[in-house]
Amino acid sequence: MNDRQKYLASYLPVAAALFSCATAAFAAAPSLGTVSGFAVLGGSAVTCTSGVVAGDAGVSPGSAFTNTGCTYAGATPPATTPFAATARADFLTAYAGLQAQSASCTYKLGTTLAGENLAPGVYCLDAVAKTGVLTLTGPADGVWVFLVNGALTGTNFSVAMTGGGQPCNVFWAPSAAATLTTSALKGNILAGDSINGSITLTGGTMGGRALAAVAVTMTDASIVGCGVLTASSLPGSVVSVPGPVAPPATCTDDEHEGRYEANEHRHMQMHM
């Protein structure tokens, strides 16, 4: 083995360790600002029929708020009107921040997500309808970001969380509408497209936030907002859901520096 081969053999393990730290795709929770206080926020309208919303609801810049036999355990328009405009701006900023994470995507294309067990991270999905049970496993500070190229649709789709993962640290950001039927979703839906960004929930439950640039329409569906989500709120929920927390970096500066110094040391040895 010549000197060049010996150098490469000593360098590759260190390079692999550095590369794994630099390219691990970790999700960052967006800053929700004032919209964090809302369970439901629509742009043009919020319509609820025979459903339940545990948390505040608002509309901005529109004002159409229709309640037909829906129970609200939280503030509603006009009480929330002064805050909804600022919340909308913060929501759209958060949506843009989520879309900016697409460079870190792990791609899950052509799948319904049924039977998947996913660690915290950024996942790019297509518009294939979601069904079955998706399991999210991770620590309490784990963050999941799902960027959907097109509409987020699902029928009899449910999300289970294990390992201490928190529903309010899960973000669904479709580039079009979100339509869920008899599903049990966990997480925040941010439908931020200015033309197609509506959310329609028919039957089922949701633990998190429904935030839409256009309209939110609920029929026989229940939403439990992040401010009140507890173990008894939804099947499979977790106790004490805090606000989103960004996960720690995979490698600290000291770890990077230590690996760099180890590589330099090996390089010097090969040339002594």
Side-chain angles (χ1 to χ4, degrees):
M1 181 181 291
N2 59 36
D3 285 349
R4 179 179 176 82
Q5 290 172 323
K6 290 178 181 178
Y7 171 72
L8 288 174
S10 66
Y11 174 79
L12 287 175
V14 177
L18 286 168
F19 182 78
S20 66
C21 289
T23 60
F26 281 91
S31 174
L32 295 178
T34 56
V35 79
S36 63
F38 284 85
V40 176
L41 182 67
S44 61
V46 169
T47 302
C48 185
T49 303
S50 300
V52 176
V53 176
D56 294 349
V59 185
S60 181
S63 58
F65 179 73
T66 304
N67 178 8
T68 306
C70 190
T71 301
Y72 282 90
T76 59
T80 58
T81 299
F83 313 103
T86 301
R88 176 181 171 82
D90 289 344
F91 147 55
L92 293 177
T93 298
Y95 176 76
L98 290 172
Q99 295 296 327
Q101 296 189 49
S102 61
S104 300
C105 270
T106 296
Y107 287 89
K108 291 285 182 180
L109 304 180
T111 174
T112 68
L113 297 181
E116 295 268 7
N117 191 323
L118 301 181
V122 182
Y123 297 92
C124 277
L125 314 176
D126 55 25
V128 169
K130 309 309 173 191
T131 61
V133 180
L134 165 66
T135 301
L136 305 180
T137 302
D141 63 353
V143 175
W144 292 261
V145 172
F146 294 95
L147 303 177
V148 186
N149 183 20
L152 169 63
T153 62
T155 299
N156 298 326
F157 174 55
S158 63
V159 178
M161 306 202 71
T162 63
Q166 306 290 334
C168 292
N169 286 346
V170 181
F171 299 88
W172 301 87
S175 63
T179 302
L180 295 168
T181 304
T182 57
S183 296
L185 189 76
K186 292 184 177 66
N188 307 281
I189 299 178
L190 285 78
D193 182 74
S194 61
I195 297 174
N196 299 308
S198 289
I199 299 174
T200 302
L201 305 176
T202 304
T205 61
M206 179 178 168
R209 303 177 179 94
L211 311 175
V214 184
V216 178
T217 303
M218 298 173 53
T219 304
D220 297 320
S222 299
I223 294 181
V224 180
C226 290
V228 293
L229 193 57
T230 65
S232 60
S233 300
L234 293 169
S237 295
V238 296
V239 178
S240 182
V241 180
V245 180
T250 50
C251 294
T252 65
D253 291 341
D254 288 343
E255 289 170 329
H256 280 298
E257 183 177 353
R259 288 173 182 172
Y260 175 79
E261 289 176 350
N263 176 55
E264 288 297 301
H265 178 69
R266 293 182 186 184
H267 178 78
M268 292 176 61
Q269 285 184 321
M270 292 306 306
H271 292 81
M272 290 178 61

